[in-house]
Amino acid sequence: MRSEPTLVALIMAAGVGRRFGSDKRRQPLADGRTLLATTLAATAAAYPRHYVVLRPDETPAALGLAPNTPVLSAPAAAHGLGASLGDAFRQLLTGEPDATAAAVILGDMPWLSAASCAQLNARASATAIVVPCYAGQRGHPVIFGRHWWPELAQLKTGEGARAVLARRQHAVQTVELDDPGVRRDVDRPQDLPG
């Protein structure tokens, strides 16, 4: 019998959002919560163990989150998402010794559903890389088994973990979901819910 994996989530929020024109993480949505707070609330049910990845000079409260929100620092965030991932996975390797896998979630994805995350979580293992798809297009969260964390911890630049996924195709398990939320994020103000 397969034991349940212990999952942790990284909500990646150390970027600067240049295309949005301002700090989109602080953008209030219709219910008054910020974009980042809404994304965190949308995924916290599926990932009780989670961290928001921020730049070193930022606090959760300044971004509309509870002051005691667990945070990992991304001092290399200016070098792109890949550098922030490297910073976060280096900390996870020592800070989460019993975790089996980590879900990487973008901080601007308020439409993620806990049900979709649960479907992905069911496929997680220490050696798998679980990738959601909607209409044939890859999305988030991507769940990386612990076996891949040292490689992710080496990232210093770039657009996330694309190179790791390309090198490790044999470990990738694609899960087709009927959920456009795994593909939707907010890059520009017109991407916000109306």
Side-chain angles (χ1 to χ4, degrees):
M1 184 174 163
R2 181 176 177 236
S3 64
E4 288 293 315
T6 301
L7 296 171
V8 62
L10 297 173
I11 296 94
M12 304 305 297
V16 294
R18 287 181 184 92
R19 290 179 287 177
F20 193 81
S22 62
D23 190 343
K24 65 182 172 182
R25 301 168 304 170
R26 293 184 172 116
Q27 179 67 39
L29 300 184
D31 65 1
R33 292 182 300 175
T34 65
L35 174 62
L36 180 56
T38 303
T39 301
L40 179 56
T43 57
Y47 302 102
R49 289 168 69 170
H50 58 267
Y51 299 91
V52 178
V53 180
L54 300 176
R55 295 187 294 272
D57 60 339
E58 297 178 313
T59 65
L63 297 171
L65 305 176
N68 63 342
T69 299
V71 170
L72 294 178
S73 180
H79 300 290
L81 179 58
S84 294
L85 282 168
D87 287 337
F89 275 99
R90 283 190 293 280
Q91 293 167 74
L92 281 187
L93 277 167
T94 57
E96 287 287 346
D98 65 332
T100 308
V104 174
I105 300 168
L106 304 180
D108 61 353
M109 297 186 78
W111 299 280
L112 282 177
S113 79
S116 291
C117 292
Q119 290 181 59
L120 299 170
N121 295 349
R123 303 282 292 275
S125 74
T127 57
I129 300 172
V130 183
V131 180
C133 284
Y134 173 73
Q137 299 291 311
R138 288 181 170 184
H140 284 87
V142 176
I143 303 175
F144 291 94
R146 189 178 193 94
H147 180 79
W148 310 110
W149 292 11
E151 187 171 355
L152 292 159
Q154 296 304 309
L155 293 173
K156 304 269 192 236
T157 60
E159 295 185 30
R162 288 187 180 138
V164 175
L165 288 168
R167 283 191 303 271
R168 305 303 178 193
Q169 277 298 311
H170 65 281
V172 173
Q173 297 180 21
T174 302
V175 180
E176 187 69 34
L177 297 173
D178 186 22
D179 178 4
V182 300
R183 290 274 311 145
R184 280 182 79 190
D185 64 349
V186 176
D187 290 329
R188 295 174 177 83
Q190 57 266 34
D191 297 331
L192 289 167

